[in-house]
């Protein structure tokens, strides 16, 4: 496992698609995601699931025709992130996780690092484009404002995030003081 500060994630809108990049101190992975699914919302909901009773979450991104599938498995306070590429999303969508795909990237990171990186990327997209601009670029789905709320709150309350903007946010202290 690499250090928590080594995890980097970005989500950049470009036309009717997005490019994500995820990297740790050892390797990097990126993909160009099509707008056919509510991809950023799906990722935010998966991160939210890691704060509850779920032992793992699955997110599929449509790369037209390729499916890029992220498996997020909790291992104590860490999350094993495994990314598989399936050559034909039409036939692979819904198939067993490790069957027929090629491993594209993997890393094990603290849940706090993953939560922070995904939240920062989503918030950066919202700051840069605004809700209307996101809908204009993504076309099919609006910016996932509702999907952002729970992981943001859960991360700030439950992760003891080392980043100042999370530690000093009102969400971070409400539960700790009560």
């Amino acid at each position: 496992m690499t250090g928590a500060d080594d995890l980097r994630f970005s989500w950049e809108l470009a036309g009717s698609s997005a490019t994500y990049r995820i990297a740790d101190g050892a390797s990097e992975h990126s993909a160009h995601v099509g707008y056919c699914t509510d991809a950023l919302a799906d990722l935010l909901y998966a991160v939210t699931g890691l704060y509850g009773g779920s032992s793992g979450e699955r997110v599929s991104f449509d790369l037209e025709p390729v499916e890029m599938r992220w498996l997020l498995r909790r291992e104590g306070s860490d999350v094993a992130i495994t990314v598989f590429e399936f050559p034909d999303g039409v036939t692979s969508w819904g198939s067993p996780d490790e069957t027929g795909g090629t491993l594209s990237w993997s890393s094990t990171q603290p849940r706090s690092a993953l939560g922070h990186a995904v939240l920062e990327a989503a918030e950066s997209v919202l700051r840069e484009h605004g809700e209307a601009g996101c809908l204009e670029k993504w076309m099919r789905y609006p910016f996932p404002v509702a999907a952002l709320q729970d992981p943001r709150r859960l991360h700030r309350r439950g992760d003891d995030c080392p980043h100042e903007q999370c530690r000093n946010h009102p969400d971070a202290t409400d539960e700790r003081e009560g």
Side-chain angles (χ1 to χ4, degrees), residues 44-53 74 111-112 115-116 119 146-161 166 169 171-172 175-176:
L44 289 165
Y45 286 127
V47 168
T48 300
L50 297 172
Y51 287 88
R74 284 192 9 202
R111 181 191 66 190
S112 62
H116 184 83
L119 290 170
L148 180 60
Q149 300 308 313
D150 281 339
R152 178 190 288 149
R153 179 182 48 79
L154 293 166
H155 169 69
R156 289 177 175 158
R157 287 184 180 175
D159 277 339
D160 246 354
C161 185
C166 295
H169 193 277
D171 285 348
E175 192 169 280
R176 292 180 193 149

Side-chain angles (χ1 to χ4, degrees), residues 17-74:
S17 63
T19 298
Y20 73 73
R21 287 180 180 76
I22 187 163
D24 60 15
S27 63
E28 179 176 322
H29 165 72
S30 65
H32 194 68
V33 180
Y35 69 94
C36 293
T37 65
D38 199 358
L40 184 55
D42 293 343
L43 181 58
L44 289 165
Y45 286 127
V47 168
T48 300
L50 297 172
Y51 287 88
S54 175
S55 62
E57 295 290 327
R58 172 185 179 175
V59 181
S60 290
F61 298 116
D62 186 359
L63 279 57
E64 303 170 3
V66 172
E67 174 193 358
M68 197 62 70
R69 185 179 301 168
W70 285 34
L71 303 178
L72 306 173
R73 303 282 185 233
R74 284 192 9 202

Side-chain angles (χ1 to χ4, degrees), residues 3 39 75-76 121 168:
E75 298 176 351
N168 294 330

